[in-house]
Amino acid sequence: MLCRKHAFSGLLLVLFALPGFADQDDDREAIRAEIEYLTETRSLSGRDIDIAAGSIIAELYANRGFSPAWTDAAQIEELIAAIESTQAEGLNPADYYVDAVRAAYTEVGAGIEDPQDKATADILFTESLIRVGYHQLFGKVNPATLDSNWNFGRELNGLDPATAVQEIIDSPSLSQRLTSLVPRGWVYNGLKAGLAEFRAIQAAGGWAEIPDGATLRIGATDDRLPLLANRLAVSGELERPGDFATYDANLAAAVRLFQQRHGLADDGILGPATLRALNVPVEQRIQSLELSLERARWVMNGLADDFILVNIAGFEAYLVRGREVAWRTRVQVGRPYRQSPVFRDEMRYLVFNPTWTVPRSIATRDLLPQIQRDVSYLTDRGFQVKNRNGEVIDYRAVDWSQHSRTNFPYTLVQGPGPANALGRVKFMFPNRHAVYLHDTPSKSLFATAERAFSSGCIRVENPFELAEELLGPAWNQDRIRRVLDSGEITTVSLPVRLPILLLYWTASVGEDGAIHFYNDVYGRDPAIVDALDKPFGIDSAGS
């Protein structure tokens, strides 16, 4: 442990082992009085310490009869180590009063005699532990304060918070108990390793900016090539830098790998978009990793081993089995002005040859102007028009020029077929957003690097592969094709319902451990940066 090296560590062990140390009436009375003080003031007397977990602390010490909780030097040493380790996860040790905890540890080692000083030190250690545990379980920021669509849980699986904290304090190893409460998978650990890697790059001086210039293809010459080679070597796409005289196949391959890791068209050509990505400062890449670690803490607690995940910012979807990626595909997501929402639900069934009941907002904003220009738009795309009673009407008898967004008494329903906006299959997890995964006739758009084209739903590039993965061996591609060819609307329930997570991460980790970065297409990162800079707080879900 870190603090066992201190000269007074042995003194602490002796001190905390003294008979009756944790049972003295004056110590208990001092803690009781301090609890009352912090309940009224949300601070510790005599210390510049704000208390965020007052109700949890009050319950914990009341359960203990107000006896001190921290009676073993090893406990405090592990607490300090846990605080210090948070920096490697993109958190700020200052949020846990690391300096005050170290100072209090030193004071205890020197032999505090005043009961009030001992009481404030003991409560400080508890407050710090609660802060560390809370951030590890839920993240520092409550995402529900940033996004009204957020519906992921923030519970302790029925465990009383004061009881949970007491169990951590009483455990043989505080650090091991914390780790067991928040198991981390390869994604989180990969992001953490990436953060360490890019911080090391920053410490070594980062990378130099590459000046603007002509687009480079294989065979081109340019005096920026040595600078480009150095830049790619720093971030690991090129094995070693060199004085390249021409833009050769080795440089093009390194650029292609960089493009693949940054959500760009991987053509191996150094054009304006690739140059902009190369010139993003290392500090911004570090920030993206810190934000993804925070976002991971929001959803990792209580996550099942099998689930479907859509990374909206990365334009990709993943089927995860046993916490490993079993299948992946490119997707199209909502346009910036019709953003795909971030939420969690449960996929329940598939529909082959679906119809599409057009949401009113899309019918009035997108389709009505086209119908008003040419009513044959409805015939060409297989739409029926229904009145308010649900009856199909003759759309040719409607004077479409008289209708607007606020005056539209019809429902548009597109029949099954290749032209259907949902394609030939949709994956259903009924939700208030009317958002789901589906096929699309707009296949060519998958070749685009940034794929924000939909009205909010998630368009899947290889939907029939996903259908086979979800439905199991009884539904191979031949059977799926027969159902599609029948033209009949066919609903098939999943053998096992699967959680589906629609998330938004601007940094992620590939199966090979490489870090991938994506543009903040919806502009969501700055709000989280601001929230992470605010003082610590515990919301109602955790207090």
Side-chain angles (χ1 to χ4, degrees), residues 232-295:
L232 293 168
V234 168
S235 54
E237 287 80 26
L238 191 65
E239 186 175 346
R240 61 179 63 88
D243 295 326
F244 288 82
T246 61
Y247 189 72
D248 63 11
N250 289 331
L251 268 181
V255 167
R256 186 175 295 108
L257 181 56
F258 177 89
Q259 291 167 333
Q260 291 168 353
R261 293 176 175 176
H262 291 77
L264 300 166
D266 57 342
D267 52 16
I269 298 171
L270 182 64
T274 301
L275 186 62
R276 283 194 299 272
L278 285 163
N279 285 334
V280 171
V282 66
E283 291 79 11
Q284 186 172 329
R285 297 306 188 194
I286 288 171
Q287 185 178 85
S288 294
L289 285 161
E290 291 173 344
L291 295 184
S292 284
L293 282 163
E294 174 68 5
R295 285 167 163 142

Side-chain angles (χ1 to χ4, degrees), residues 263 312 314-316 329-335 445-454 461:
I312 296 168
F315 309 106
E316 288 199 324
T329 188
R330 290 184 289 189
V331 299
Q332 300 172 32
V333 303
R335 303 177 187 95
L445 297 178
F446 287 110
T448 306
E450 286 198 354
R451 298 181 289 275
F453 299 119
S454 81
E461 182 177 28

Side-chain angles (χ1 to χ4, degrees), residues 19-20 70 74 79 110 154-155 210 243 254 309 313 336 363 449 458 491:
W70 299 83
L79 173 62
R154 290 168 66 84
E155 297 87 24
I210 302 171
D243 295 326
L309 186 151
I458 310 299
T491 300

Side-chain angles (χ1 to χ4, degrees), residues 112-135:
I112 298 178
E113 295 185 1
D114 182 73
Q116 181 176 337
D117 290 341
K118 285 192 283 186
T120 57
D122 204 272
I123 295 171
L124 167 62
F125 298 147
T126 303
E127 167 76 7
S128 180
L129 173 62
I130 292 172
R131 288 172 173 240
V132 171
Y134 187 84
H135 281 189

